[in-house]
Amino acid sequence: MALKTSAPRKGVAGRANGADGLDAIPLRYGDDPYVWACWLYYEDGMTQGEIAEAMGVSRATVNSYLADAREKGIVNISIEPARLASLTIAQELKRHFGLADCLVVPNDDDTRPLIGRLGAAGAQALSKMIKSGDTLAVAWGRTILSVGEHLQTGPLQDVTVVQATGGTTASFAYTPELTAAAVARAISARCVNITAPAIVGSAQMHDMLLAEPLIREQFDTLARANRVVFGIASLRPNSTIHTSGFFETVPLQHYLAKGAAGVLAGRFIDERGRPVAGPLDDRTIGISLDMLRNIPTRIAIAGGFDKVPALLAALRGGYVNVLVTDAATGAGILRADGVTSLDGKLSQRQRSVPVANSYRTHVKKFLNNPNDVVEEMLDGLIAAHKPYLQTVGASRRALVARDGPRAGKVGLVIGGGTGHEPCFVGYVGKGLADAVALGNIFSSPPPDPIVKCAVAASGGAGVLFVYGNYAGDVMNFEMAAELAEEQGIPIRTVLTTDDIASSPVEDKEGRRGVAGNFFVFKIAGAACDLGLTLDECEAITRKANDRTYTVGVALESCSMPQTRRHNFEIGPDDMELGMGIHGEPGVSRERLRTADEIVDAIMDNIFKEMKAEAGDKVAVLVNSFGATPLMELYILYRRVEQRLAAKNIEIEANWVGHYCTSLDMVGASISILHLDRQLAELLYHPCRTAILTIDGRETNGAARG
C-alpha cells in the first residue's frame, strides 16, 4: 500500500466539532485523515466500525476515506518506504516507552537541515496540543527556536509562554529569552521571562534571587505550566552545552566522569534518566527535573544519531511523553534499548525471527582467557614491532616511537581504544605519530598513559593531540592536556570528524572520527616531522580533517572476545549504512544491495559535501572493518575509481586493505581526502612504521602502503 499525503477534502478534516467531526489526528499520521484511516485498516487490521470509533467519524465516512484513497492512488500495494519506516518507528516508540504520542520525521536526502525539519515537525505537534488558557514552558536551544520560527496556530486566547530557565547575556540566536519570545510571538501569547541568570555564582546568590518577589512571581507562573517543550542536549564537544557558554566556569568532565548522558533544560541526567549531582545544582535558576516530570504534556524535540544516548536517558527517566525525532534517531533509540522486533517490521512488516544457526551459537576465536585479550595482544605486538616502538616505562598502554621524538620538533600523540588494529598503534614511527595511548576494547585510554605519551613525545616545541570525536576520549584527553600543561608542555588538540553519516552537514563538528583517521594522522605526522610550529601543525591537521569524508557499511556486526557473540543481528537480506567502528549499529538499516550500488550510495553522499571540480586530485582509502577480504575491497575500489573518473577527478594515491578495523566486523568503509598541493606533499612525506612505509613519490603517482 503506497500512502501519499494529500489535502483533506473540504468539510471533512476541519469539522472537529460537528456531529460527524474528526477527532484530533495522532501526530504520527501528520494532517492526513486518509493516511490515518488507511493505516488502521490495512496495517492494524481494524474493522471500519472500529476505525470510525477511533477517528470520531461515522462508518460511512471511513468507507468514503478508504474508497477515495484507492481511487486517488493513495493506496496501492505498498507504503512508500520512507513513510512506512517513520510510521513504524513512531508506533514502536509509542508502544515501547508508553508515550502519549510520537511524530517521526522520515529520513530524506539531507537537502534540508535536520534542525529545520525537526522544527517544522515540532511546530506541527505543538499546534495540535496548545489550547486557549494553556501555560507553556519553553526551554532554549536551536531546535526549539526553529519550532517557534515554523509555528502557526488558529486563534487562541489567554495563552502564557514562560521561559523555563534563567537567561544569559550571550549573543547567539537561541538564548532562553529569544527562544521563548519566538514561540510566544508565533501564537500571540503573553511572554513571561525569568529575569535572572541561568547560572549564578553561588548557592547564596541563587537563594537571594529566588526570594525576590518579581522572580518568585515568575516561578509561580512556571509552576502552573501544563505543557512544556524542550530539546535534549548531548555532551559532545560541539553541543549547545559547550558552545553556549553557559557552563564555562564548571568543568564538564565532572559530569562526564559521573556518567552524565544528556542535559534537559540545564539539568544533567545519567543513562537511566537519574539526576547527576554536581556543582551546578544549587546555582542553576530554572525548571527542576521534578517540576519537568510533573507537567502533564512534556514535548521533547531532538534528533541526530549522536543524541541517541541522551534521548534514551530522557525517555527512561519519564521526562518525555510526546516525542518528535527523526527516523534514524528513533530506530537507534529502540535498538539501544533492546527492541529486537524493529528491523523485521521495517523490512518485512512482521515480527523478526532470529536467524537460526544449526551448528553453532558462538564465534570462534584464537583466545586464552578472554579477560586477558588486550594485554596478551599488546605483549605480542610489542615483541613483533620492536624496531619501531617501545613502552614508556613499564606501561604497555603508552608506547613511543624509537626514532620519532626529537628536540625542537612538535610531538604528535594519537590514541583510542583497542580492537581497531592496525589503527593507532600501527601508525607510530618515524614521520608519523611519536606516541600512542591505548585503552581497552572500544574504550578511551585513561589520562595517565596519555600524559606519559605527551612527556615522551615532547621535544620542547609543544605536543599535538589528534584523536576521534567521542565523549570518553574527549574527557580523558582534555584532562591529560591540563596535566601536561601543568608540566610546561604546550598542548593543541584536533578532533577527527570524518564520518559524514553520523551527523548532518550543519553539525559537522559533532561527527565521529573513523577510518579517515588514517589520512589525518599521516598529514599531522608529516607536518610535525618537517619542523613546523605547533600552530602550523594544528592548522594543517584541521584542514586535512575538514577535507576528509568517510562512510562505512556493515554486513555483519562484530563480536567481543568476552561474549563471542555478534553485538547485534543484521538480517540475511539487510545491511547497516553509516557504520561506526565501536560495534554499535549503523545510522540506518537498508536492504542489501550489490557492491556497485553500495559504492554509488556512499559516493553520492560524499559528492554532496566534497566540492571537488574536474581536474582536482584525491586520495582514496578502501578499508576493511576486519572480516571483509581484499577480493571484495578491490571490487569496491573498482567502482570508486569509476565514479571519480566520471567527474574527471584524479586519484593521486590509494590504499586498499585493513587500516581501521572493528574486531571481526564484516564490512568496509570508503574515505576520500580532497587534496591540495600542500596536502599532497605531506601525504607523500616519508614515514616508516610497523604498518605503513612511504618512501616518497613513485613514478605511477601512487603511494605505497
Side-chain angles (χ1 to χ4, degrees):
M1 155 176 93
L3 298 187
K4 304 176 184 176
T5 57
S6 60
R9 294 175 300 167
K10 292 182 179 180
V12 177
R15 293 200 309 266
N17 298 316
D20 197 25
L22 191 71
D23 283 357
I25 303 177
L27 288 177
R28 54 196 176 279
Y29 305 114
D31 287 318
D32 197 332
Y34 292 100
V35 173
W36 188 11
C38 292
W39 182 277
L40 296 179
Y41 186 75
Y42 291 103
E43 295 295 326
D44 288 351
M46 294 174 63
T47 66
Q48 293 188 22
E50 291 169 337
I51 296 170
E53 183 177 353
M55 296 181 69
V57 297
S58 69
R59 189 178 184 282
T61 300
V62 172
N63 185 276
S64 177
Y65 282 157
L66 297 176
D68 287 353
R70 289 191 296 270
E71 291 175 5
K72 295 174 182 289
I74 296 171
V75 177
N76 206 328
I77 60 172
S78 63
I79 298 180
E80 179 187 357
R83 182 176 291 275
L84 171 62
S86 63
L87 287 170
T88 302
I89 292 166
Q91 294 277 60
E92 282 296 298
L93 286 166
K94 182 177 183 294
R95 179 196 64 79
H96 185 71
F97 293 104
L99 300 175
D101 216 335
C102 180
L103 176 58
V104 172
V105 179
N107 294 330
D108 70 358
D109 57 2
D110 290 331
T111 55
R112 296 176 298 160
L114 179 59
I115 287 177
R117 291 190 288 129
L118 289 173
Q124 177 186 335
L126 190 57
S127 67
K128 290 175 176 291
M129 297 179 180
I130 196 76
K131 307 294 182 186
S132 294
D134 280 349
T135 297
L136 173 67
V138 176
W140 60 278
R142 291 176 292 182
T143 304
I144 305 305
L145 178 63
S146 181
V147 172
E149 293 169 345
H150 287 88
L151 185 59
Q152 294 180 343
T153 63
L156 297 171
Q157 296 181 7
D158 304 319
V159 176
T160 298
V161 168
V162 58
Q163 197 174 304
T165 68
T168 176
T169 58
S171 59
F172 52 81
Y174 49 88
T175 63
E177 299 90 341
L178 293 175
T179 304
V183 174
R185 186 166 54 249
I187 57 178
S188 302
R190 179 173 73 104
C191 186
V192 176
N193 296 112
I194 304 295
T195 54
I199 297 176
V200 296
S202 66
Q204 293 78 11
M205 178 61 69
H206 172 276
D207 295 342
M208 288 174 57
L209 287 172
L210 289 186
E212 289 291 324
L214 176 61
I215 297 176
R216 188 166 61 245
E217 180 180 337
Q218 293 162 355
F219 263 78
D220 288 343
T221 303
L222 180 59
R224 291 194 295 272
N226 64 325
R227 307 187 198 280
V228 60
V229 58
F230 58 97
I232 297 175
S234 70
L235 291 171
R236 295 177 313 148
N238 72 309
S239 72
T240 52
I241 294 304
H242 292 268
T243 59
S244 66
F246 269 39
F247 305 102
E248 288 179 349
T249 60
V250 178
L252 292 180
Q253 287 91 340
H254 171 90
Y255 291 96
L256 285 166
K258 296 188 74 173
V263 185
L264 316 181
R267 308 288 182 172
F268 293 80
I269 57 174
D270 68 12
E271 64 178 7
R272 305 305 306 179
R274 298 168 297 204
V276 176
L280 294 178
D281 292 359
D282 299 327
R283 295 167 46 201
T284 299
I285 293 180
I287 192 169
S288 68
L289 290 174
D290 286 339
M291 290 175 64
L292 175 62
R293 192 156 37 194
N294 287 329
I295 294 176
T297 303
R298 306 179 297 280
I299 309 167
I301 306 170
F305 198 69
D306 59 287
K307 291 192 178 181
V308 166
L311 277 161
L312 179 56
L315 290 163
R316 286 170 169 170
Y319 302 107
V320 181
N321 61 6
V322 177
L323 175 63
V324 178
T325 190
D326 62 284
T329 304
I333 292 169
L334 290 166
R335 290 170 182 157
D337 210 38
V339 176
T340 60
S341 61
L342 176 65
D343 297 318
K345 290 182 177 181
L346 288 176
S347 60
Q348 302 174 11
R349 290 301 303 151
Q350 63 184 24
R351 196 167 189 85
S352 65
V353 179
V355 178
N357 191 325
S358 61
Y359 62 95
R360 62 186 173 95
T361 59
H362 290 76
V363 177
K364 298 176 182 178
K365 295 179 181 289
F366 292 104
L367 298 174
N368 295 310
N369 184 337
N371 295 322
D372 296 333
V373 64
V374 174
E375 297 303 321
E376 291 184 350
M377 182 271 291
L378 290 175
D379 282 344
L381 184 148
I382 293 166
H385 301 312
K386 284 181 180 178
Y388 302 98
L389 48 79
Q390 60 188 344
T391 62
V392 178
S395 174
R396 287 176 293 187
R397 301 304 182 99
L399 305 176
V400 62
R402 289 188 179 274
D403 56 359
R406 64 178 186 268
K409 169 187 171 300
V410 172
L412 174 60
V413 173
I414 62 176
T418 49
H420 305 300
E421 292 73 32
C423 194
F424 304 124
V425 70
Y427 305 133
V428 178
K430 172 71 173 171
L432 229 158
D434 296 293
V436 61
L438 300 169
N440 289 327
I441 295 175
F442 300 161
S443 298
S444 169
D448 181 64
I450 303 172
V451 175
K452 290 179 178 178
C453 286
V455 173
S458 176
V463 171
L464 180 64
F465 285 176
V466 183
Y467 54 90
N469 186 24
Y470 300 93
D473 293 279
V474 171
M475 176 180 72
N476 290 337
F477 272 89
E478 285 185 352
M479 293 174 64
E482 293 175 5
L483 294 171
E485 289 180 334
E486 289 176 0
Q487 299 184 42
I489 303 173
I491 301 293
R492 297 285 190 277
T493 294
V494 176
L495 303 179
T496 58
T497 55
D498 57 295
D499 183 1
I500 67 172
S502 60
S503 285
V505 66
E506 67 266 22
D507 190 24
K508 291 177 66 173
E509 293 181 357
R511 290 172 170 173
R512 302 176 293 200
V514 286
N517 281 333
F518 172 85
F519 288 133
V520 182
F521 293 164
K522 177 64 187 72
I523 298 298
C528 294
D529 194 51
L530 285 170
L532 303 183
T533 67
L534 182 58
D535 288 342
E536 290 170 331
C537 291
E538 178 189 5
I540 290 170
T541 305
R542 288 193 187 281
K543 180 170 73 168
N545 178 67
D546 290 343
R547 295 168 71 97
T548 301
Y549 309 88
T550 300
V551 177
V553 176
L555 309 182
E556 298 289 350
S557 65
C558 65
S559 58
M560 301 291 283
Q562 290 78 10
T563 64
R564 294 192 296 118
R565 294 178 182 270
H566 288 129
N567 282 15
F568 59 94
E569 293 297 330
I570 301 176
D573 299 316
D574 296 330
M575 65 181 188
E576 293 279 325
L577 185 63
M579 200 67 195
I581 57 173
H582 290 122
E584 72 277 36
V587 172
S588 63
R589 180 163 295 189
E590 301 186 8
R591 302 296 286 176
L592 183 62
R593 309 178 204 171
T594 66
D596 283 0
E597 290 171 336
I598 291 171
V599 173
D600 285 346
I602 291 174
M603 296 305 294
D604 287 347
N605 282 315
I606 290 176
F607 286 144
K608 287 176 186 176
E609 295 196 25
M610 184 179 73
K611 305 306 179 184
E613 299 177 352
D616 283 0
K617 296 182 179 182
V618 297
V620 175
L621 173 70
V622 177
N623 168 67
S624 171
F625 281 144
T628 298
L630 277 168
M631 174 183 284
E632 295 171 30
L633 298 181
Y634 284 126
I635 294 173
L636 299 178
Y637 179 82
R638 160 191 162 275
R639 185 58 176 168
V640 173
E641 192 277 335
Q642 291 172 351
R643 290 298 308 272
L644 290 167
K647 291 182 176 291
N648 197 25
I649 297 172
E650 180 182 344
I651 298 177
E652 175 75 11
N654 69 79
W655 287 266
V656 180
H658 294 66
Y659 291 93
C660 184
T661 63
S662 183
L663 292 174
D664 56 349
M665 184 183 295
V666 180
S669 62
I670 295 170
S671 300
I672 307 291
L673 170 59
H674 187 191
L675 295 169
D676 60 14
R677 179 173 296 180
Q678 182 186 47
L679 293 177
E681 292 296 329
L682 293 170
L683 191 65
Y684 281 117
H685 182 76
C687 70
R688 184 174 177 81
T689 75
I691 299 302
L692 183 66
T693 297
I694 295 176
D695 295 326
R697 289 184 181 271
E698 303 212 6
T699 56
N700 64 357
R704 187 176 70 219

